[in-house]
């Protein structure tokens, strides 16, 4: 699959299905894991999704329409989790937003769960993984910021991720928005989810 066009549609604090009943692929992960950069990299755009949004900023569900001319779908950027300074109220609000999305979205085909290749998955990452499993949502893991480690060290870093998230190697894609590592493979996986 190639992404030929991408358009920001809307931001919302509470999910409401968009007017077009298109398939959706959602992105989730810790704040700062590089979700926005990943969306920009996939779409070949530099400023479609806002990179480096200041922590503490209102977290929203962002909807992007992809390939509207032919075989269109929505890419959905879900609010990041794991803010160091998030208070209880904010965490509860995040949970309500996520539950609202996964409950109301009937067109969801799969989720891209981004984690940082350099770190063992955090408790939040494990919880996200368990949540997707409990809802029976197909997902793929992106091990992001792969440019930060050498190619030769990749397997060493991937092993604890595979173990913690209980996934097979084919379910984890080392990815980098900096050098576009993994872009083609992720596009292939998205295509599979959509068909
Ligand atoms: P988000 O909060 O998950 O949307 O993360 P952003 O896309 O805003 O990225 C957070 C920070 O990580 C920014 O400073 C990015 O430049 C940086 N970043 C994102 N992706 C990569 C990557 O693949 N490699 C490297 N080295 N840095 C990245």
């Amino acid at each position: 699959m190639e992404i030929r066009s991408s358009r920001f549609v809307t931001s919302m604090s509470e999910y409401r299905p968009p007017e077009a009943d298109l398939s959706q692929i959602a992105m989730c992960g810790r704040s700062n894991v590089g979700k926005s950069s990943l969306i920009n990299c996939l779409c070949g755009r530099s400023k479609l999704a806002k990179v480096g949004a200041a922590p503490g900023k209102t977290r929203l569900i962002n909807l992007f329409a992809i390939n509207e001319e032919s075989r269109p779908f929505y890419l959905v950027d879900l609010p990041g989790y794991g803010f160091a300074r998030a208070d209880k109220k904010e965490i509860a609000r995040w949970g309500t937003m996520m539950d609202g999305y996964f409950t109301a979205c009937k067109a969801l085909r799969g989720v891209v769960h981004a984690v940082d290749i350099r770190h063992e998955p955090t408790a939040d990452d494990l919880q996200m993984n368990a949540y997707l499993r409990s809802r029976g949502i197909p997902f793929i893991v992106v091990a992001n910021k792969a440019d930060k480690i050498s190619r030769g060290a990749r397997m060493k870093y991937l092993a604890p991720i595979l173990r913690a998230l209980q996934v097979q190697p084919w379910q984890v894609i080392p990815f980098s928005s900096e050098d576009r590592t993994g872009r083609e493979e992720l596009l292939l996986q998205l295509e599979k989810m959509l068909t």
Side-chain angles (χ1 to χ4, degrees), residues 4 10 13 21 31-32 65 76 78 144 151 171 179:
R4 298 174 303 278
T10 187
S13 57
D21 183 25
S31 307
N32 226 34
V76 183
L78 295 171
N144 211 11
R151 260 188 96 87
Q171 291 173 293
D179 62 15

Side-chain angles (χ1 to χ4, degrees), residues 36 63 80 100 169-170 182:
S36 308
L63 211 76
W170 59 267

Side-chain angles (χ1 to χ4, degrees), residues 126-182:
L126 298 181
Q127 216 177 332
M128 188 71 236
N129 178 266
Y131 181 89
L132 295 173
R133 288 177 187 278
S134 73
R135 282 193 167 253
I137 299 166
F139 67 89
I140 185 108
V141 175
V142 157
N144 211 11
K145 307 197 183 183
D147 57 284
K148 298 257 194 188
I149 58 167
S150 72
R151 260 188 96 87
R154 250 185 224 168
M155 222 27 240
K156 189 184 103 192
Y157 282 91
L158 285 175
I161 296 176
L162 296 174
R163 206 163 38 237
L165 300 180
Q166 293 174 47
V167 286
Q168 299 299 318
W170 59 267
Q171 291 173 293
V172 181
I173 304 176
F175 193 94
S176 164
S177 307
E178 288 284 312
D179 62 15
R180 292 156 68 101
T181 292

Side-chain angles (χ1 to χ4, degrees), residues 116-128:
D116 192 316
I117 197 166
R118 298 166 297 171
H119 309 301
E120 278 219 31
T122 62
D124 292 326
D125 290 329
L126 298 181
Q127 216 177 332
M128 188 71 236

